[in-house]
Amino acid sequence: MTKMSASKLAGGWRAVCGLVFGVLLLAGCKSGAGDPRFADMPGGPAGSSAIASPAIAAPAPVTGAAMDPGSMDQTNVLDVLHPNDAVIITFSDLPVPQPPISDRVKEDGTITLIQNQTFQAAGKTRRDLEKEIRARYVPDYFKTMTVQVEHAEQSRFYYVGGEVKLPARQIYISRITVLKAIQSAGDFTDFARKRGVVLTRANGKTVTVNCVRAQRHPELDLEIFPGDKIWVPRRNPFW
C-alpha cells in the first residue's frame, strides 16, 4: 500500500467515527430532554434546563372563625339585667310624648310598663328587652316606637362594709354570692361576727346570713345583685 492510499484510508475512518459520534450525541440529548428530572428554567431561553426540585406546597392562608374577632361572643355581662336592677326606660317616636320610666326590676325578674304590660327582664340584655318591648307595642298599640333601656348608674355596684378588711363599694361584674363578695372586700377581720352577716336588698328587704354554716352548705350562701348591701357586724369579745 502506498503512502497516499494509507492517508486516504485514515481520513475515511475519521469521517465514519465523527458521524457515529454525532449520532450518539444527538440521541443522548433527546433522551435527556425527556427525563422528568429536567425542565425548562422559568424565564430562561428556550431549551435551557435544570434539575427540578421536588414541589413544595405553599402554606394555606389562616382562615376560619377562630381568627375572626367578630365571631367571638362579645356580650358584656354588665349588660344583663338582674332582679333589683334600677333601670330607666325611654319611649320615643310616639304620637304623644311619654316621660321616661324609672323603675326597678322586681324580685321575680319582671317589670311593668305603659298599658299595664309586664315583661320578663331578668336574664336578658338591655338590647333584647328593647326588641321585646317594641314587638309588644307595635303595631297593636302604636304605629311607631323607639325603646331605650338603660341601667341607672348606681345599680351597677354592691356594697360591703363593717368588719371586712377593705370595706368599699364593689363593681358588679358577674354573678356572685355573699361569701365571695366578702372575699372581694379582703375577707373578714379577726373581730367579725360571721354568724350574723346582714344582707340588705336594693328594695330594702333584709336577710341574716350565717356565713359559718354557708361555708359548709353552699345553698345557704345567697346570691347578691347590684344595689345590695352587705354589713358584717362586730362580734362580742366575750362570746
Side-chain angles (χ1 to χ4, degrees), residues 105-138:
V105 179
K106 299 181 180 65
E107 288 194 358
D108 63 1
T110 64
I111 192 167
T112 302
L113 304 176
I114 57 177
Q115 303 295 336
N116 202 33
Q117 294 295 305
T118 299
F119 300 85
Q120 181 65 37
K124 297 176 181 176
T125 65
R126 295 181 296 115
R127 298 298 171 248
D128 287 342
L129 182 58
E130 289 171 353
K131 293 176 182 178
E132 184 176 336
I133 293 172
R134 188 183 186 283
R136 180 83 62 86
Y137 287 114
V138 177

Side-chain angles (χ1 to χ4, degrees), residues 166-224:
L166 299 171
R169 182 179 71 172
Q170 306 287 336
I171 299 175
Y172 185 90
I173 298 176
S174 60
R175 298 182 65 175
I176 191 169
T177 63
V178 170
L179 286 176
K180 291 181 179 178
I182 291 172
Q183 289 174 358
S184 73
D187 218 332
F188 295 103
T189 69
D190 294 337
F191 306 100
R193 183 152 63 92
K194 300 179 182 180
R195 290 181 172 83
V197 174
V198 179
L199 170 63
T200 303
R201 298 294 190 186
N203 61 2
K205 180 180 178 180
T206 60
V207 183
T208 300
V209 180
N210 185 332
C211 289
V212 175
R213 293 191 62 196
Q215 288 176 334
R216 299 193 298 267
H217 303 281
E219 67 275 11
L220 301 179
D221 188 12
L222 300 181
E223 183 175 1
I224 66 169

